[in-house]
Amino acid sequence: MAGPGHPLSRRSVLAAGAGVAAAGPLGGRRRSGGPAAAPAAVARPAALAPQQQAGQRVVFSYSGTTVPQSLLDQIRAGQAAGVIFFGGNISSLAQITSAVGLIRQANAGSPSPAPLLLMTDQEGGQIRRLPGAPVQSAKQIGASADPAGGAADAGTGAGNLLRSVGMNVNLAPVLDVYRTAGDFDDQYQRSYSTDPELVARCGGAFITAQRATGVAAAAKHFPGLGAATAAQNTDLRPVTLTQSLSQLRHLDEVPYVTALTAGADLVMVSWAIYSQLDAAHPAGLSPTVVQSELRDRFTFTGVTVTDAIGAGALSAFGTPAQNAVTAAAAGMDLILDASGDVAHGQAIVSALAAALQNGTLPGPAFTAALTRIGALRTRLF
């Protein structure tokens, strides 16, 4: 979320390099080879212990370029849904490919060996974890002669690059409709345009093209951070956005209609408070936003994923573990821990398991979340 200088924040920057590889469509065949291997199964929730069920909803992170044994053990025990990679985890394409291979090997021996969700932020321009495509920023693409074509090329480039190192989820594209030059999204050129229809066309093209490489797409940050000023960074502090319901409906949310039609596999929900939807809770902690707005109004049936659960915007609402339970109760499927500390992720797993066992998180809703996550994992390579 922060810009350069915050290597473990969700929006830290990695300098560009090069390198792509051939890939195939989501859940399909590789263009450069034969059929994809038959996907391993996700264990039925009822067959897993509470700690394992909880772990299947948590995305872990780690520090440095060496995968810690504690994370490999966590994965082998069936207590992780995936891993998010940041710039500090990556020194070269060869190095991160090797690291991803170790993680995949650990998962092969787990009780739920379907592909883990191995993700990063490869938006384009300044916001890239891996050296390589997309070189152009969203704003550059939006201002080009062929925005939809440029967005499709960016989606293909991002997907091929992620697949070449073994990652299968890109936390992109950004669908925020920025308002003024230099604001939260525009300062790093992360928004395609101030025109919601143009953002919709570009976002849809990016998603369609990236999914054709076999890499899942996550649209973010629902219901939109385009109105945030440069100082309104949810990584660092609480943010309240006061745009009218009409602005939310007819500007900020417009790109999601196209994105969901294009097949966005995940939606990342913002940590801002939207006063016209729920004045008391950040969006990702709000059943009104997650259930009523995203699930009901948009009929989204895919996977919801939080932004970083340790974000400064949530500090007044509890610890990351407590907020993970609140987010799950609000309808968030995946909890993303971006702390870089495996122990923090393990604390979140324990909190979710306890909430499942004591009824704070009802079993049927917990199982429904695991079913959605499992369906996504079995479609991936």
Side-chain angles (χ1 to χ4, degrees):
M1 294 177 180
H6 298 269
L8 287 179
S9 74
R10 288 239 330 107
R11 294 178 178 83
S12 61
V13 175
L14 183 67
V20 297
L26 190 62
R29 294 171 179 262
R30 294 176 64 90
R31 286 198 298 269
S32 60
V42 173
R44 291 183 301 107
L48 297 174
Q51 197 81 2
Q52 291 171 320
Q53 292 185 53
Q56 297 285 309
R57 296 183 66 172
V58 178
V59 176
F60 282 76
S61 60
Y62 64 96
S63 298
T65 56
T66 300
V67 184
Q69 187 62 47
S70 59
L71 178 55
L72 296 176
D73 291 343
Q74 186 79 17
I75 291 167
R76 197 171 288 112
Q79 296 182 27
V83 179
I84 182 170
F85 301 93
F86 294 100
N89 302 129
I90 302 163
S91 61
S92 68
L93 293 181
Q95 172 270 324
I96 193 59
T97 300
S98 177
V100 170
L102 288 175
I103 289 170
R104 285 181 172 272
Q105 185 177 27
N107 187 58
S110 82
S112 190
L116 290 171
L117 302 174
L118 302 174
M119 61 186 67
T120 195
D121 301 91
Q122 194 76 2
E123 297 175 14
Q126 296 181 65
I127 310 301
R128 289 177 289 171
R129 313 302 189 195
L130 292 162
V135 174
Q136 284 194 311
S137 69
K139 186 175 184 179
Q140 288 173 321
I141 291 169
S144 69
D146 180 13
D153 288 344
T156 299
N160 282 340
L161 179 56
L162 264 65
R163 182 156 188 153
S164 76
V165 301
M167 296 183 197
N168 55 18
V169 179
N170 190 9
L171 297 176
V174 171
L175 298 184
D176 300 339
V177 182
Y178 87 96
R179 300 301 203 270
T180 59
D183 65 13
F184 174 73
D185 282 302
D186 188 56
Q187 61 185 325
Y188 299 119
Q189 300 191 11
R190 302 176 68 211
S191 171
Y192 291 108
S193 177
T194 58
D195 176 359
E197 298 294 343
L198 180 56
V199 174
R201 290 197 300 275
C202 290
F206 186 104
I207 289 166
T208 299
Q210 183 177 273
R211 293 186 82 248
T213 71
V215 172
K220 61 187 184 186
H221 314 82
F222 186 85
L225 280 172
T229 67
Q232 289 182 305
N233 184 342
T234 56
D235 266 357
L236 305 178
R237 60 184 60 88
V239 173
T240 297
L241 300 179
T242 59
Q243 64 263 52
S244 68
L245 194 58
S246 177
Q247 287 177 310
L248 280 166
R249 296 273 197 266
H250 301 295
L251 203 163
D252 293 288
E253 292 183 349
V254 166
Y256 286 90
V257 177
T258 303
L260 300 191
T261 300
D265 305 280
L266 308 96
V267 171
M268 177 179 283
V269 180
S270 161
W271 284 141
I273 292 174
Y274 296 81
S275 60
Q276 299 306 305
L277 292 174
D278 182 344
H281 302 96
L285 301 185
S286 170
T288 300
V289 176
V290 181
Q291 294 292 149
S292 300
E293 197 74 4
L294 181 56
R295 293 289 189 202
D296 297 342
R297 284 195 71 247
F298 282 86
T299 64
F300 179 60
T301 59
V303 174
T304 51
V305 57
T306 71
D307 209 331
I309 197 66
L314 304 185
S315 58
F317 293 87
T319 66
Q322 291 168 334
N323 289 331
V325 173
T326 305
M332 299 304 299
D333 297 328
L334 284 170
I335 309 299
L336 193 158
D337 176 57
S339 68
D341 188 335
V342 175
H344 288 189
Q346 291 170 329
I348 290 167
V349 171
S350 294
L352 291 174
L356 174 61
Q357 290 176 292
N358 67 27
T360 300
L361 294 175
F366 209 102
T367 297
L370 291 176
T371 299
R372 288 188 290 268
I373 294 165
L376 174 59
R377 288 175 60 185
T378 55
R379 295 203 306 272
L380 298 175
F381 62 90

